[in-house]
Amino acid sequence: MDLDSLKWRLVGAASAWWICCIRKYTYRIAVCRDWNLWESVRESPSRVCFSEKDYAWRLPPGFSPEKASDACKIFEGEHVMGSFFKHTARDKRKEPYPRSTLRNILLCQMSRGEPISIPNDIYDYYNVTIVSRSFVREQIRRMMSCIVFHGYDRLPLETIRWLLRNPISTNFYDLRIRVAPPQGLFLTDVVFPREMFTNPFPCYRHGWDRPQENTEGEEVDEEKQLEEEC
C-alpha cells in the first residue's frame, strides 16, 4: 500500500465525515403559479423573489409533482451512479484505481414545502428529500435535473433508467441535460453510529492521560492500558 492510500485511510477513519452512517439532503423547489406572474416577476422582481433567490430553484409554471414523484421512485434502491458523478478527465488521470460509484438510496421522496421567510401567493413549494449513507460528487443535483425535467415532460423515465444502467460520467453531458443549480440544496440531518461515541476508533489518548509509572514505580504496559481505556 502506498503512502497516499494509507494516509487517506487514516484520515477517513478519524474523520466525522467518513464515519457518518446516514445523510439526509433536502432540495427546495419554487414553482410559479401562472405565466402572468412568471413574466411579471422576471420584469420586476419582488421581495419574495429576492428572499428565495439563493434558497430554492425557481421554476416556471407547468411542473407536475405527480410525474416528478414517479421519477423519484426510480432512484430508490442500490444503483451504480456513474452517470450522475462529476468525474473529470483530470481527476481520472490522478486516480490509480477507479472509484466505486455504487450507492444505496434509502429514500427519494417529494413533499409539499413552504416559503423560507415571506408567505406569498406567487410560488408553490416542493421539497425533495434524499437519504443515503454517501453520495458521489454532484449526484443529488443531477438527480434533481432528471426529476424536474420529467415533471415538465422533457425527460422520459426510460432515459433515467438508461442512465442508471449505463454508469458513464460523460452520459449527462452527451445528452445535454442541464445540471440543477446548487441553491436549494441543504444538508438537513446526519446520523452517526452510537459506538463511535462510546467506543471511537481510532481511540486517542494524550500522554498525560497515560501515566508512565504506577504507584509502586513499575512501568505500565501502554498498549494494554490503551486497550482497556478504549
Side-chain angles (χ1 to χ4, degrees), residues 27 57 84 86 130 136-147 172 177-183 185:
Y27 197 102
W57 187 5
F84 299 84
K86 182 181 179 180
I130 303 175
V136 297
R137 184 183 181 189
E138 265 191 16
Q139 174 184 333
I140 296 179
R141 291 172 58 189
R142 297 189 182 205
M143 289 172 59
M144 286 304 306
S145 297
C146 295
I147 293 170
F172 224 75
I177 303 175
R178 175 191 172 191
V179 179
Q183 61 266 24
L185 179 60

mmCIF file with all atom_site columns, all heavy atoms in Angstrom, residues 27 57 84 86 130 136-147 172 177-183 185:
data_model
loop_
_atom_site.group_PDB
_atom_site.id
_atom_site.type_symbol
_atom_site.label_atom_id
_atom_site.label_alt_id
_atom_site.label_comp_id
_atom_site.label_asym_id
_atom_site.label_entity_id
_atom_site.label_seq_id
_atom_site.pdbx_PDB_ins_code
_atom_site.Cartn_x
_atom_site.Cartn_y
_atom_site.Cartn_z
_atom_site.occupancy
_atom_site.B_iso_or_equiv
_atom_site.pdbx_formal_charge
_atom_site.auth_seq_id
_atom_site.auth_comp_id
_atom_site.auth_asym_id
_atom_site.auth_atom_id
_atom_site.pdbx_PDB_model_num
ATOM 1   N N   . TYR A 1 27  ? -33.862 19.225 -1.127  1.00 0.00 ? 27  TYR A N   1
ATOM 2   C CA  . TYR A 1 27  ? -33.739 20.191 -2.227  1.00 0.00 ? 27  TYR A CA  1
ATOM 3   C C   . TYR A 1 27  ? -35.077 20.912 -2.374  1.00 0.00 ? 27  TYR A C   1
ATOM 4   O O   . TYR A 1 27  ? -36.115 20.278 -2.559  1.00 0.00 ? 27  TYR A O   1
ATOM 5   C CB  . TYR A 1 27  ? -33.368 19.486 -3.526  1.00 0.00 ? 27  TYR A CB  1
ATOM 6   C CG  . TYR A 1 27  ? -32.834 20.425 -4.593  1.00 0.00 ? 27  TYR A CG  1
ATOM 7   C CD1 . TYR A 1 27  ? -31.475 20.510 -4.847  1.00 0.00 ? 27  TYR A CD1 1
ATOM 8   C CD2 . TYR A 1 27  ? -33.694 21.233 -5.329  1.00 0.00 ? 27  TYR A CD2 1
ATOM 9   C CE1 . TYR A 1 27  ? -30.980 21.375 -5.813  1.00 0.00 ? 27  TYR A CE1 1
ATOM 10  C CE2 . TYR A 1 27  ? -33.210 22.101 -6.289  1.00 0.00 ? 27  TYR A CE2 1
ATOM 11  C CZ  . TYR A 1 27  ? -31.852 22.165 -6.526  1.00 0.00 ? 27  TYR A CZ  1
ATOM 12  O OH  . TYR A 1 27  ? -31.361 23.029 -7.479  1.00 0.00 ? 27  TYR A OH  1
ATOM 13  N N   . TRP A 1 57  ? -34.677 26.487 -6.173  1.00 0.00 ? 57  TRP A N   1
ATOM 14  C CA  . TRP A 1 57  ? -34.634 26.500 -7.638  1.00 0.00 ? 57  TRP A CA  1
ATOM 15  C C   . TRP A 1 57  ? -35.992 27.010 -8.102  1.00 0.00 ? 57  TRP A C   1
ATOM 16  O O   . TRP A 1 57  ? -36.994 26.317 -7.999  1.00 0.00 ? 57  TRP A O   1
ATOM 17  C CB  . TRP A 1 57  ? -34.357 25.097 -8.163  1.00 0.00 ? 57  TRP A CB  1
ATOM 18  C CG  . TRP A 1 57  ? -34.126 25.052 -9.652  1.00 0.00 ? 57  TRP A CG  1
ATOM 19  C CD1 . TRP A 1 57  ? -34.044 26.105 -10.509 1.00 0.00 ? 57  TRP A CD1 1
ATOM 20  C CD2 . TRP A 1 57  ? -33.937 23.878 -10.452 1.00 0.00 ? 57  TRP A CD2 1
ATOM 21  N NE1 . TRP A 1 57  ? -33.818 25.681 -11.795 1.00 0.00 ? 57  TRP A NE1 1
ATOM 22  C CE2 . TRP A 1 57  ? -33.743 24.313 -11.790 1.00 0.00 ? 57  TRP A CE2 1
ATOM 23  C CE3 . TRP A 1 57  ? -33.906 22.517 -10.168 1.00 0.00 ? 57  TRP A CE3 1
ATOM 24  C CZ2 . TRP A 1 57  ? -33.532 23.423 -12.834 1.00 0.00 ? 57  TRP A CZ2 1
ATOM 25  C CZ3 . TRP A 1 57  ? -33.695 21.627 -11.206 1.00 0.00 ? 57  TRP A CZ3 1
ATOM 26  C CH2 . TRP A 1 57  ? -33.505 22.072 -12.527 1.00 0.00 ? 57  TRP A CH2 1
ATOM 27  N N   . PHE A 1 84  ? -24.209 9.943  -12.831 1.00 0.00 ? 84  PHE A N   1
ATOM 28  C CA  . PHE A 1 84  ? -24.546 11.103 -12.004 1.00 0.00 ? 84  PHE A CA  1
ATOM 29  C C   . PHE A 1 84  ? -23.331 11.603 -11.221 1.00 0.00 ? 84  PHE A C   1
ATOM 30  O O   . PHE A 1 84  ? -23.477 12.344 -10.256 1.00 0.00 ? 84  PHE A O   1
ATOM 31  C CB  . PHE A 1 84  ? -25.675 10.734 -11.038 1.00 0.00 ? 84  PHE A CB  1
ATOM 32  C CG  . PHE A 1 84  ? -26.937 10.321 -11.736 1.00 0.00 ? 84  PHE A CG  1
ATOM 33  C CD1 . PHE A 1 84  ? -27.112 9.018  -12.171 1.00 0.00 ? 84  PHE A CD1 1
ATOM 34  C CD2 . PHE A 1 84  ? -27.936 11.240 -11.983 1.00 0.00 ? 84  PHE A CD2 1
ATOM 35  C CE1 . PHE A 1 84  ? -28.270 8.635  -12.829 1.00 0.00 ? 84  PHE A CE1 1
ATOM 36  C CE2 . PHE A 1 84  ? -29.097 10.870 -12.641 1.00 0.00 ? 84  PHE A CE2 1
ATOM 37  C CZ  . PHE A 1 84  ? -29.265 9.564  -13.070 1.00 0.00 ? 84  PHE A CZ  1
ATOM 38  N N   . LYS A 1 86  ? -19.827 13.690 -11.254 1.00 0.00 ? 86  LYS A N   1
ATOM 39  C CA  . LYS A 1 86  ? -18.970 14.646 -11.951 1.00 0.00 ? 86  LYS A CA  1
ATOM 40  C C   . LYS A 1 86  ? -17.528 14.183 -11.801 1.00 0.00 ? 86  LYS A C   1
ATOM 41  O O   . LYS A 1 86  ? -16.872 14.438 -10.796 1.00 0.00 ? 86  LYS A O   1
ATOM 42  C CB  . LYS A 1 86  ? -19.138 16.053 -11.378 1.00 0.00 ? 86  LYS A CB  1
ATOM 43  C CG  . LYS A 1 86  ? -18.307 17.092 -12.117 1.00 0.00 ? 86  LYS A CG  1
ATOM 44  C CD  . LYS A 1 86  ? -18.462 18.480 -11.530 1.00 0.00 ? 86  LYS A CD  1
ATOM 45  C CE  . LYS A 1 86  ? -17.601 19.481 -12.282 1.00 0.00 ? 86  LYS A CE  1
ATOM 46  N NZ  . LYS A 1 86  ? -17.720 20.854 -11.732 1.00 0.00 ? 86  LYS A NZ  1
ATOM 47  N N   . ILE A 1 130 ? -33.761 13.267 -0.003  1.00 0.00 ? 130 ILE A N   1
ATOM 48  C CA  . ILE A 1 130 ? -32.934 12.151 -0.465  1.00 0.00 ? 130 ILE A CA  1
ATOM 49  C C   . ILE A 1 130 ? -32.060 11.694 0.695   1.00 0.00 ? 130 ILE A C   1
ATOM 50  O O   . ILE A 1 130 ? -31.354 12.506 1.300   1.00 0.00 ? 130 ILE A O   1
ATOM 51  C CB  . ILE A 1 130 ? -32.066 12.560 -1.672  1.00 0.00 ? 130 ILE A CB  1
ATOM 52  C CG1 . ILE A 1 130 ? -32.960 13.081 -2.812  1.00 0.00 ? 130 ILE A CG1 1
ATOM 53  C CG2 . ILE A 1 130 ? -31.219 11.387 -2.154  1.00 0.00 ? 130 ILE A CG2 1
ATOM 54  C CD1 . ILE A 1 130 ? -32.191 13.629 -3.991  1.00 0.00 ? 130 ILE A CD1 1
ATOM 55  N N   . VAL A 1 136 ? -21.950 10.499 -4.523  1.00 0.00 ? 136 VAL A N   1
ATOM 56  C CA  . VAL A 1 136 ? -20.827 10.906 -5.353  1.00 0.00 ? 136 VAL A CA  1
ATOM 57  C C   . VAL A 1 136 ? -20.965 12.396 -5.661  1.00 0.00 ? 136 VAL A C   1
ATOM 58  O O   . VAL A 1 136 ? -22.002 13.013 -5.405  1.00 0.00 ? 136 VAL A O   1
ATOM 59  C CB  . VAL A 1 136 ? -20.763 10.079 -6.656  1.00 0.00 ? 136 VAL A CB  1
ATOM 60  C CG1 . VAL A 1 136 ? -20.530 8.614  -6.350  1.00 0.00 ? 136 VAL A CG1 1
ATOM 61  C CG2 . VAL A 1 136 ? -22.035 10.257 -7.484  1.00 0.00 ? 136 VAL A CG2 1
ATOM 62  N N   . ARG A 1 137 ? -19.916 12.957 -6.213  1.00 0.00 ? 137 ARG A N   1
ATOM 63  C CA  . ARG A 1 137 ? -19.892 14.395 -6.478  1.00 0.00 ? 137 ARG A CA  1
ATOM 64  C C   . ARG A 1 137 ? -20.987 14.797 -7.474  1.00 0.00 ? 137 ARG A C   1
ATOM 65  O O   . ARG A 1 137 ? -21.110 14.206 -8.541  1.00 0.00 ? 137 ARG A O   1
ATOM 66  C CB  . ARG A 1 137 ? -18.519 14.782 -7.025  1.00 0.00 ? 137 ARG A CB  1
ATOM 67  C CG  . ARG A 1 137 ? -18.327 16.272 -7.252  1.00 0.00 ? 137 ARG A CG  1
ATOM 68  C CD  . ARG A 1 137 ? -16.963 16.529 -7.852  1.00 0.00 ? 137 ARG A CD  1
ATOM 69  N NE  . ARG A 1 137 ? -16.721 17.944 -8.080  1.00 0.00 ? 137 ARG A NE  1
ATOM 70  C CZ  . ARG A 1 137 ? -15.670 18.420 -8.746  1.00 0.00 ? 137 ARG A CZ  1
ATOM 71  N NH1 . ARG A 1 137 ? -14.763 17.583 -9.234  1.00 0.00 ? 137 ARG A NH1 1
ATOM 72  N NH2 . ARG A 1 137 ? -15.526 19.723 -8.922  1.00 0.00 ? 137 ARG A NH2 1
ATOM 73  N N   . GLU A 1 138 ? -21.787 15.779 -7.107  1.00 0.00 ? 138 GLU A N   1
ATOM 74  C CA  . GLU A 1 138 ? -22.880 16.339 -7.915  1.00 0.00 ? 138 GLU A CA  1
ATOM 75  C C   . GLU A 1 138 ? -24.014 15.346 -8.144  1.00 0.00 ? 138 GLU A C   1
ATOM 76  O O   . GLU A 1 138 ? -24.874 15.576 -8.997  1.00 0.00 ? 138 GLU A O   1
ATOM 77  C CB  . GLU A 1 138 ? -22.372 16.855 -9.273  1.00 0.00 ? 138 GLU A CB  1
ATOM 78  C CG  . GLU A 1 138 ? -22.063 18.320 -9.277  1.00 0.00 ? 138 GLU A CG  1
ATOM 79  C CD  . GLU A 1 138 ? -21.820 18.893 -10.671 1.00 0.00 ? 138 GLU A CD  1
ATOM 80  O OE1 . GLU A 1 138 ? -22.177 18.247 -11.678 1.00 0.00 ? 138 GLU A OE1 1
ATOM 81  O OE2 . GLU A 1 138 ? -21.254 19.985 -10.740 1.00 0.00 ? 138 GLU A OE2 1
ATOM 82  N N   . GLN A 1 139 ? -24.056 14.269 -7.392  1.00 0.00 ? 139 GLN A N   1
ATOM 83  C CA  . GLN A 1 139 ? -25.092 13.259 -7.621  1.00 0.00 ? 139 GLN A CA  1
ATOM 84  C C   . GLN A 1 139 ? -26.494 13.816 -7.409  1.00 0.00 ? 139 GLN A C   1
ATOM 85  O O   . GLN A 1 139 ? -27.381 13.618 -8.253  1.00 0.00 ? 139 GLN A O   1
ATOM 86  C CB  . GLN A 1 139 ? -24.869 12.064 -6.693  1.00 0.00 ? 139 GLN A CB  1
ATOM 87  C CG  . GLN A 1 139 ? -25.973 11.016 -6.761  1.00 0.00 ? 139 GLN A CG  1
ATOM 88  C CD  . GLN A 1 139 ? -25.779 9.898  -5.763  1.00 0.00 ? 139 GLN A CD  1
ATOM 89  O OE1 . GLN A 1 139 ? -24.659 9.598  -5.367  1.00 0.00 ? 139 GLN A OE1 1
ATOM 90  N NE2 . GLN A 1 139 ? -26.865 9.284  -5.331  1.00 0.00 ? 139 GLN A NE2 1
ATOM 91  N N   . ILE A 1 140 ? -26.714 14.516 -6.302  1.00 0.00 ? 140 ILE A N   1
ATOM 92  C CA  . ILE A 1 140 ? -28.062 14.985 -5.993  1.00 0.00 ? 140 ILE A CA  1
ATOM 93  C C   . ILE A 1 140 ? -28.516 16.027 -7.008  1.00 0.00 ? 140 ILE A C   1
ATOM 94  O O   . ILE A 1 140 ? -29.673 16.025 -7.448  1.00 0.00 ? 140 ILE A O   1
ATOM 95  C CB  . ILE A 1 140 ? -28.113 15.541 -4.560  1.00 0.00 ? 140 ILE A CB  1
ATOM 96  C CG1 . ILE A 1 140 ? -27.820 14.422 -3.556  1.00 0.00 ? 140 ILE A CG1 1
ATOM 97  C CG2 . ILE A 1 140 ? -29.472 16.169 -4.270  1.00 0.00 ? 140 ILE A CG2 1
ATOM 98  C CD1 . ILE A 1 140 ? -27.821 14.872 -2.113  1.00 0.00 ? 140 ILE A CD1 1
ATOM 99  N N   . ARG A 1 141 ? -27.632 16.912 -7.409  1.00 0.00 ? 141 ARG A N   1
ATOM 100 C CA  . ARG A 1 141 ? -28.011 17.934 -8.383  1.00 0.00 ? 141 ARG A CA  1
ATOM 101 C C   . ARG A 1 141 ? -28.383 17.310 -9.725  1.00 0.00 ? 141 ARG A C   1
ATOM 102 O O   . ARG A 1 141 ? -29.324 17.762 -10.401 1.00 0.00 ? 141 ARG A O   1
ATOM 103 C CB  . ARG A 1 141 ? -26.872 18.934 -8.545  1.00 0.00 ? 141 ARG A CB  1
ATOM 104 C CG  . ARG A 1 141 ? -26.651 19.815 -7.319  1.00 0.00 ? 141 ARG A CG  1
ATOM 105 C CD  . ARG A 1 141 ? -25.404 20.651 -7.454  1.00 0.00 ? 141 ARG A CD  1
ATOM 106 N NE  . ARG A 1 141 ? -25.453 21.497 -8.638  1.00 0.00 ? 141 ARG A NE  1
ATOM 107 C CZ  . ARG A 1 141 ? -24.408 22.199 -9.079  1.00 0.00 ? 141 ARG A CZ  1
ATOM 108 N NH1 . ARG A 1 141 ? -23.244 22.138 -8.438  1.00 0.00 ? 141 ARG A NH1 1
ATOM 109 N NH2 . ARG A 1 141 ? -24.521 22.943 -10.164 1.00 0.00 ? 141 ARG A NH2 1
ATOM 110 N N   . ARG A 1 142 ? -27.694 16.270 -10.112 1.00 0.00 ? 142 ARG A N   1
ATOM 111 C CA  . ARG A 1 142 ? -28.033 15.603 -11.374 1.00 0.00 ? 142 ARG A CA  1
ATOM 112 C C   . ARG A 1 142 ? -29.325 14.793 -11.238 1.00 0.00 ? 142 ARG A C   1
ATOM 113 O O   . ARG A 1 142 ? -30.122 14.722 -12.184 1.00 0.00 ? 142 ARG A O   1
ATOM 114 C CB  . ARG A 1 142 ? -26.879 14.716 -11.821 1.00 0.00 ? 142 ARG A CB  1
ATOM 115 C CG  . ARG A 1 142 ? -25.611 15.512 -12.109 1.00 0.00 ? 142 ARG A CG  1
ATOM 116 C CD  . ARG A 1 142 ? -24.543 14.663 -12.749 1.00 0.00 ? 142 ARG A CD  1
ATOM 117 N NE  . ARG A 1 142 ? -23.324 15.429 -12.969 1.00 0.00 ? 142 ARG A NE  1
ATOM 118 C CZ  . ARG A 1 142 ? -22.420 15.137 -13.887 1.00 0.00 ? 142 ARG A CZ  1
ATOM 119 N NH1 . ARG A 1 142 ? -22.591 14.090 -14.672 1.00 0.00 ? 142 ARG A NH1 1
ATOM 120 N NH2 . ARG A 1 142 ? -21.338 15.880 -14.028 1.00 0.00 ? 142 ARG A NH2 1
ATOM 121 N N   . MET A 1 143 ? -29.522 14.204 -10.078 1.00 0.00 ? 143 MET A N   1
ATOM 122 C CA  . MET A 1 143 ? -30.796 13.527 -9.841  1.00 0.00 ? 143 MET A CA  1
ATOM 123 C C   . MET A 1 143 ? -31.952 14.517 -9.914  1.00 0.00 ? 143 MET A C   1
ATOM 124 O O   . MET A 1 143 ? -33.007 14.228 -10.495 1.00 0.00 ? 143 MET A O   1
ATOM 125 C CB  . MET A 1 143 ? -30.774 12.843 -8.469  1.00 0.00 ? 143 MET A CB  1
ATOM 126 C CG  . MET A 1 143 ? -29.870 11.627 -8.380  1.00 0.00 ? 143 MET A CG  1
ATOM 127 S SD  . MET A 1 143 ? -29.699 11.001 -6.683  1.00 0.00 ? 143 MET A SD  1
ATOM 128 C CE  . MET A 1 143 ? -31.402 10.626 -6.272  1.00 0.00 ? 143 MET A CE  1
ATOM 129 N N   . MET A 1 144 ? -31.748 15.708 -9.338  1.00 0.00 ? 144 MET A N   1
ATOM 130 C CA  . MET A 1 144 ? -32.800 16.720 -9.363  1.00 0.00 ? 144 MET A CA  1
ATOM 131 C C   . MET A 1 144 ? -33.092 17.181 -10.784 1.00 0.00 ? 144 MET A C   1
ATOM 132 O O   . MET A 1 144 ? -34.244 17.492 -11.122 1.00 0.00 ? 144 MET A O   1
ATOM 133 C CB  . MET A 1 144 ? -32.401 17.908 -8.493  1.00 0.00 ? 144 MET A CB  1
ATOM 134 C CG  . MET A 1 144 ? -32.489 17.650 -7.002  1.00 0.00 ? 144 MET A CG  1
ATOM 135 S SD  . MET A 1 144 ? -34.123 17.093 -6.473  1.00 0.00 ? 144 MET A SD  1
ATOM 136 C CE  . MET A 1 144 ? -35.166 18.382 -7.142  1.00 0.00 ? 144 MET A CE  1
ATOM 137 N N   . SER A 1 145 ? -32.089 17.237 -11.626 1.00 0.00 ? 145 SER A N   1
ATOM 138 C CA  . SER A 1 145 ? -32.324 17.594 -13.023 1.00 0.00 ? 145 SER A CA  1
ATOM 139 C C   . SER A 1 145 ? -33.284 16.603 -13.671 1.00 0.00 ? 145 SER A C   1
ATOM 140 O O   . SER A 1 145 ? -34.246 17.001 -14.344 1.00 0.00 ? 145 SER A O   1
ATOM 141 C CB  . SER A 1 145 ? -31.000 17.624 -13.789 1.00 0.00 ? 145 SER A CB  1
ATOM 142 O OG  . SER A 1 145 ? -30.141 18.615 -13.282 1.00 0.00 ? 145 SER A OG  1
ATOM 143 N N   . CYS A 1 146 ? -33.036 15.327 -13.454 1.00 0.00 ? 146 CYS A N   1
ATOM 144 C CA  . CYS A 1 146 ? -33.901 14.300 -14.043 1.00 0.00 ? 146 CYS A CA  1
ATOM 145 C C   . CYS A 1 146 ? -35.312 14.374 -13.465 1.00 0.00 ? 146 CYS A C   1
ATOM 146 O O   . CYS A 1 146 ? -36.304 14.250 -14.198 1.00 0.00 ? 146 CYS A O   1
ATOM 147 C CB  . CYS A 1 146 ? -33.297 12.922 -13.798 1.00 0.00 ? 146 CYS A CB  1
ATOM 148 S SG  . CYS A 1 146 ? -31.708 12.646 -14.623 1.00 0.00 ? 146 CYS A SG  1
ATOM 149 N N   . ILE A 1 147 ? -35.411 14.584 -12.158 1.00 0.00 ? 147 ILE A N   1
ATOM 150 C CA  . ILE A 1 147 ? -36.726 14.640 -11.513 1.00 0.00 ? 147 ILE A CA  1
ATOM 151 C C   . ILE A 1 147 ? -37.533 15.830 -12.026 1.00 0.00 ? 147 ILE A C   1
ATOM 152 O O   . ILE A 1 147 ? -38.711 15.709 -12.376 1.00 0.00 ? 147 ILE A O   1
ATOM 153 C CB  . ILE A 1 147 ? -36.551 14.703 -9.984  1.00 0.00 ? 147 ILE A CB  1
ATOM 154 C CG1 . ILE A 1 147 ? -35.962 13.388 -9.464  1.00 0.00 ? 147 ILE A CG1 1
ATOM 155 C CG2 . ILE A 1 147 ? -37.871 15.007 -9.291  1.00 0.00 ? 147 ILE A CG2 1
ATOM 156 C CD1 . ILE A 1 147 ? -35.519 13.433 -8.016  1.00 0.00 ? 147 ILE A CD1 1
ATOM 157 N N   . PHE A 1 172 ? -24.233 12.367 -19.026 1.00 0.00 ? 172 PHE A N   1
ATOM 158 C CA  . PHE A 1 172 ? -25.077 13.516 -18.714 1.00 0.00 ? 172 PHE A CA  1
ATOM 159 C C   . PHE A 1 172 ? -24.857 14.644 -19.714 1.00 0.00 ? 172 PHE A C   1
ATOM 160 O O   . PHE A 1 172 ? -25.809 15.277 -20.181 1.00 0.00 ? 172 PHE A O   1
ATOM 161 C CB  . PHE A 1 172 ? -24.785 13.989 -17.292 1.00 0.00 ? 172 PHE A CB  1
ATOM 162 C CG  . PHE A 1 172 ? -26.013 14.307 -16.501 1.00 0.00 ? 172 PHE A CG  1
ATOM 163 C CD1 . PHE A 1 172 ? -26.809 13.298 -15.995 1.00 0.00 ? 172 PHE A CD1 1
ATOM 164 C CD2 . PHE A 1 172 ? -26.381 15.616 -16.263 1.00 0.00 ? 172 PHE A CD2 1
ATOM 165 C CE1 . PHE A 1 172 ? -27.937 13.579 -15.256 1.00 0.00 ? 172 PHE A CE1 1
ATOM 166 C CE2 . PHE A 1 172 ? -27.513 15.921 -15.530 1.00 0.00 ? 172 PHE A CE2 1
ATOM 167 C CZ  . PHE A 1 172 ? -28.295 14.899 -15.023 1.00 0.00 ? 172 PHE A CZ  1
ATOM 168 N N   . ILE A 1 177 ? -28.121 17.367 -20.726 1.00 0.00 ? 177 ILE A N   1
ATOM 169 C CA  . ILE A 1 177 ? -29.031 17.584 -19.599 1.00 0.00 ? 177 ILE A CA  1
ATOM 170 C C   . ILE A 1 177 ? -28.417 18.639 -18.688 1.00 0.00 ? 177 ILE A C   1
ATOM 171 O O   . ILE A 1 177 ? -27.284 18.495 -18.231 1.00 0.00 ? 177 ILE A O   1
ATOM 172 C CB  . ILE A 1 177 ? -29.276 16.280 -18.818 1.00 0.00 ? 177 ILE A CB  1
ATOM 173 C CG1 . ILE A 1 177 ? -29.828 15.198 -19.749 1.00 0.00 ? 177 ILE A CG1 1
ATOM 174 C CG2 . ILE A 1 177 ? -30.237 16.522 -17.661 1.00 0.00 ? 177 ILE A CG2 1
ATOM 175 C CD1 . ILE A 1 177 ? -29.977 13.847 -19.080 1.00 0.00 ? 177 ILE A CD1 1
ATOM 176 N N   . ARG A 1 178 ? -29.155 19.671 -18.427 1.00 0.00 ? 178 ARG A N   1
ATOM 177 C CA  . ARG A 1 178 ? -28.669 20.753 -17.569 1.00 0.00 ? 178 ARG A CA  1
ATOM 178 C C   . ARG A 1 178 ? -28.614 20.283 -16.116 1.00 0.00 ? 178 ARG A C   1
ATOM 179 O O   . ARG A 1 178 ? -29.572 19.682 -15.615 1.00 0.00 ? 178 ARG A O   1
ATOM 180 C CB  . ARG A 1 178 ? -29.584 21.967 -17.685 1.00 0.00 ? 178 ARG A CB  1
ATOM 181 C CG  . ARG A 1 178 ? -29.228 23.103 -16.739 1.00 0.00 ? 178 ARG A CG  1
ATOM 182 C CD  . ARG A 1 178 ? -30.331 24.151 -16.711 1.00 0.00 ? 178 ARG A CD  1
ATOM 183 N NE  . ARG A 1 178 ? -30.101 25.144 -15.686 1.00 0.00 ? 178 ARG A NE  1
ATOM 184 C CZ  . ARG A 1 178 ? -31.003 26.044 -15.313 1.00 0.00 ? 178 ARG A CZ  1
ATOM 185 N NH1 . ARG A 1 178 ? -32.193 26.058 -15.895 1.00 0.00 ? 178 ARG A NH1 1
ATOM 186 N NH2 . ARG A 1 178 ? -30.722 26.912 -14.359 1.00 0.00 ? 178 ARG A NH2 1
ATOM 187 N N   . VAL A 1 179 ? -27.513 20.570 -15.443 1.00 0.00 ? 179 VAL A N   1
ATOM 188 C CA  . VAL A 1 179 ? -27.364 20.199 -14.034 1.00 0.00 ? 179 VAL A CA  1
ATOM 189 C C   . VAL A 1 179 ? -28.108 21.213 -13.171 1.00 0.00 ? 179 VAL A C   1
ATOM 190 O O   . VAL A 1 179 ? -28.026 22.426 -13.394 1.00 0.00 ? 179 VAL A O   1
ATOM 191 C CB  . VAL A 1 179 ? -25.875 20.142 -13.638 1.00 0.00 ? 179 VAL A CB  1
ATOM 192 C CG1 . VAL A 1 179 ? -25.722 19.767 -12.167 1.00 0.00 ? 179 VAL A CG1 1
ATOM 193 C CG2 . VAL A 1 179 ? -25.136 19.141 -14.513 1.00 0.00 ? 179 VAL A CG2 1
ATOM 194 N N   . ALA A 1 180 ? -28.846 20.726 -12.189 1.00 0.00 ? 180 ALA A N   1
ATOM 195 C CA  . ALA A 1 180 ? -29.609 21.602 -11.302 1.00 0.00 ? 180 ALA A CA  1
ATOM 196 C C   . ALA A 1 180 ? -28.674 22.546 -10.552 1.00 0.00 ? 180 ALA A C   1
ATOM 197 O O   . ALA A 1 180 ? -27.548 22.177 -10.205 1.00 0.00 ? 180 ALA A O   1
ATOM 198 C CB  . ALA A 1 180 ? -30.421 20.770 -10.316 1.00 0.00 ? 180 ALA A CB  1
ATOM 199 N N   . PRO A 1 181 ? -29.111 23.760 -10.279 1.00 0.00 ? 181 PRO A N   1
ATOM 200 C CA  . PRO A 1 181 ? -28.254 24.727 -9.575  1.00 0.00 ? 181 PRO A CA  1
ATOM 201 C C   . PRO A 1 181 ? -28.028 24.323 -8.122  1.00 0.00 ? 181 PRO A C   1
ATOM 202 O O   . PRO A 1 181 ? -28.828 23.589 -7.536  1.00 0.00 ? 181 PRO A O   1
ATOM 203 C CB  . PRO A 1 181 ? -29.045 26.036 -9.674  1.00 0.00 ? 181 PRO A CB  1
ATOM 204 C CG  . PRO A 1 181 ? -30.467 25.605 -9.829  1.00 0.00 ? 181 PRO A CG  1
ATOM 205 C CD  . PRO A 1 181 ? -30.430 24.332 -10.614 1.00 0.00 ? 181 PRO A CD  1
ATOM 206 N N   . PRO A 1 182 ? -26.947 24.808 -7.515  1.00 0.00 ? 182 PRO A N   1
ATOM 207 C CA  . PRO A 1 182 ? -26.661 24.434 -6.116  1.00 0.00 ? 182 PRO A CA  1
ATOM 208 C C   . PRO A 1 182 ? -27.610 25.062 -5.114  1.00 0.00 ? 182 PRO A C   1
ATOM 209 O O   . PRO A 1 182 ? -27.834 24.491 -4.046  1.00 0.00 ? 182 PRO A O   1
ATOM 210 C CB  . PRO A 1 182 ? -25.224 24.925 -5.911  1.00 0.00 ? 182 PRO A CB  1
ATOM 211 C CG  . PRO A 1 182 ? -25.046 26.018 -6.919  1.00 0.00 ? 182 PRO A CG  1
ATOM 212 C CD  . PRO A 1 182 ? -25.877 25.624 -8.099  1.00 0.00 ? 182 PRO A CD  1
ATOM 213 N N   . GLN A 1 183 ? -28.156 26.249 -5.424  1.00 0.00 ? 183 GLN A N   1
ATOM 214 C CA  . GLN A 1 183 ? -29.084 26.848 -4.468  1.00 0.00 ? 183 GLN A CA  1
ATOM 215 C C   . GLN A 1 183 ? -30.345 25.999 -4.382  1.00 0.00 ? 183 GLN A C   1
ATOM 216 O O   . GLN A 1 183 ? -30.871 25.528 -5.373  1.00 0.00 ? 183 GLN A O   1
ATOM 217 C CB  . GLN A 1 183 ? -29.435 28.286 -4.858  1.00 0.00 ? 183 GLN A CB  1
ATOM 218 C CG  . GLN A 1 183 ? -30.117 28.452 -6.204  1.00 0.00 ? 183 GLN A CG  1
ATOM 219 C CD  . GLN A 1 183 ? -29.129 28.759 -7.307  1.00 0.00 ? 183 GLN A CD  1
ATOM 220 O OE1 . GLN A 1 183 ? -27.962 28.418 -7.191  1.00 0.00 ? 183 GLN A OE1 1
ATOM 221 N NE2 . GLN A 1 183 ? -29.598 29.405 -8.366  1.00 0.00 ? 183 GLN A NE2 1
ATOM 222 N N   . LEU A 1 185 ? -30.239 23.267 -2.301  1.00 0.00 ? 185 LEU A N   1
ATOM 223 C CA  . LEU A 1 185 ? -29.774 22.005 -1.728  1.00 0.00 ? 185 LEU A CA  1
ATOM 224 C C   . LEU A 1 185 ? -29.265 22.241 -0.311  1.00 0.00 ? 185 LEU A C   1
ATOM 225 O O   . LEU A 1 185 ? -28.390 23.076 -0.087  1.00 0.00 ? 185 LEU A O   1
ATOM 226 C CB  . LEU A 1 185 ? -28.670 21.411 -2.597  1.00 0.00 ? 185 LEU A CB  1
ATOM 227 C CG  . LEU A 1 185 ? -28.062 20.084 -2.122  1.00 0.00 ? 185 LEU A CG  1
ATOM 228 C CD1 . LEU A 1 185 ? -29.124 19.000 -2.041  1.00 0.00 ? 185 LEU A CD1 1
ATOM 229 C CD2 . LEU A 1 185 ? -26.932 19.657 -3.045  1.00 0.00 ? 185 LEU A CD2 1
#
